[in-house]
Amino acid sequence: MAQILDGKKLREKILESLKSKVEKFQTKPTLVVILAGDNPASKIYVNNKKKTAEKLGINSQVINYPADVTENELLSKIEELNNDNSVTAILVQLPLPEHISKENIIDAISPQKDVDGFTPYNFGRLFSGEEPIVYPCTPKGILLLLDEYNIEIEGKHAVVIGRSNIVGRPMAQMLLKRNATVTMCHSKTKNLAQITKTADIIISAAGKNIIKGEILKSDCVVVDVGIFKDENGKTRGDVDFDSASQICSYISPVPGGVGPMTITSLMLNTVELFEKSL
Ligand code: GUN
């Protein structure tokens, strides 16, 4: 039976030390979250971010826009926040309404306040093997979780499933930086099971229930980034926990694995940007 990669437990440990760090600051970090439209999942995520920040003594503000907000309105708000010295971190919640160019919006954020690490400067640094100002939250949280359980990365075959800018692409780069041998799989990959059978570490961010025990190598490590409701309204991930946990050595549960680590990384990044701004 696999050991659980407990994201909730690690979140509590990291947030506790972050709270005492923030208490010692003369002025406090300020995180501004822009939420456009009324995607129900985004509303929950944004609310959690705000609540967690407040618990740590980090100032946080959510700016809500209706789904028909114009790109120019968002761009001028971002410019205002870039120029406001009291704002130390900016996050634009994704997805944005369809008529808005995600690229234009992200490009407008000052790299020094880019708490997601998504701007071209930070992504460019990451993809050229340099240090970005901060690392994207979900992959950063996954590495913190693997490190907490002393899971070796160097020289291992890591298979990343999903090529989003939020998870898959930066995850692959970060694993590469840690000297893993990285394979990227996605919706057009033909021989997924053949590839996963050779994986020491699998990071699955497909958004579909695709990982069953039978496609895993024994004693591998499985990180489940997927989160969605099944037809019975039950929260599920990409991994069939019951069959996978019979084969692998470590597994992250859904919920309680990667989700808490993403928010933990966001708080770490908020504090890092603040410290760099001093
Ligand atoms: N939507 C889902 N995950 C994320 C994230 O990590 N950052 C932002 N900005 N939006 C998201």
Side-chain angles (χ1 to χ4, degrees):
M1 191 62 186
Q3 211 182 315
I4 301 291
L5 297 168
D6 188 340
K8 276 205 239 172
K9 195 163 136 198
L10 182 55
R11 172 184 63 190
E12 295 319 308
K13 183 166 132 183
I14 295 175
L15 292 188
E16 200 176 306
S17 74
L18 212 46
K19 187 164 187 261
S20 34
K21 188 171 196 177
V22 174
E23 270 166 15
K24 297 192 188 88
F25 292 149
Q26 301 281 324
T27 58
K28 306 295 176 193
T30 296
L31 167 67
V32 176
V33 178
I34 294 180
L35 175 61
D38 37 33
N39 180 310
S42 289
K43 278 191 186 167
I44 295 171
Y45 294 148
V46 166
N47 216 355
N48 275 339
K49 289 169 185 179
K50 187 167 193 299
K51 274 207 310 225
T52 310
E54 281 165 359
K55 265 195 238 162
L56 301 185
I58 292 171
N59 299 321
S60 86
Q61 187 195 351
V62 178
I63 308 179
N64 285 285
Y65 287 94
D68 63 356
V69 63
T70 65
E71 198 169 302
N72 277 339
E73 277 177 89
L74 292 182
L75 290 172
S76 47
K77 177 51 78 177
I78 291 169
E79 195 187 340
E80 183 191 316
L81 298 171
N82 283 343
N83 293 326
D84 181 343
N85 288 336
S86 70
V87 173
T88 51
I90 302 169
L91 183 145
V92 177
Q93 185 66 27
L94 302 173
L96 285 166
E98 280 195 2
H99 64 282
I100 290 174
S101 156
K102 181 179 76 178
E103 289 71 27
N104 289 349
I105 298 298
I106 290 174
D107 289 9
I109 301 169
S110 158
Q112 283 73 26
K113 299 189 181 187
D114 168 25
V115 74
D116 271 318
F118 288 166
T119 57
Y121 175 83
N122 282 316
F123 244 37
R125 299 275 302 180
L126 178 60
F127 279 67
S128 56
E130 307 291 332
E131 291 279 328
I133 301 175
V134 292
Y135 286 90
C137 298
T138 302
K140 173 176 174 144
I142 291 169
L143 291 185
L144 287 169
L145 196 54
L146 295 178
D147 289 343
E148 176 70 9
Y149 289 84
N150 296 314
I151 292 164
E152 209 181 316
I153 296 172
E154 183 162 307
K156 299 293 178 186
H157 183 207
V159 171
V160 178
I161 306 174
R163 51 183 154 173
S164 73
N165 283 348
I166 295 178
V167 187
R169 284 177 208 266
M171 185 79 255
Q173 291 303 318
M174 288 162 74
L175 288 163
L176 202 53
K177 210 168 167 41
R178 295 280 298 266
N179 298 320
T181 301
V182 181
T183 302
M184 285 210 77
C185 297
H186 46 76
S187 53
K188 300 286 186 285
T189 296
K190 290 214 162 74
N191 47 352
L192 183 70
Q194 223 173 309
I195 297 168
T196 55
K197 276 267 182 198
T198 69
D200 301 306
I201 300 170
I202 296 183
I203 315 283
S204 186
K208 277 192 283 197
N209 198 260
I210 53 166
I211 308 290
K212 300 208 164 35
E214 67 206 37
I215 70 164
L216 300 175
K217 183 169 91 151
S218 66
D219 292 337
C220 67
V221 175
V222 178
V223 177
D224 191 348
V225 191
I227 185 157
F228 46 86
K229 298 260 189 233
D230 70 9
E231 59 275 15
N232 304 316
K234 190 169 185 296
T235 301
R236 293 216 178 269
D238 291 359
V239 180
D240 175 41
F241 188 89
D242 293 343
S243 65
S245 58
Q246 300 296 321
I247 310 289
C248 62
S249 56
Y250 290 91
I251 187 166
S252 76
V254 175
V258 173
M261 292 312 299
T262 297
I263 202 148
T264 301
S265 302
L266 176 66
M267 297 302 124
L268 285 167
N269 282 358
T270 303
V271 169
E272 282 174 33
L273 290 184
F274 173 76
E275 289 181 303
K276 287 178 185 188
S277 78
L278 293 174

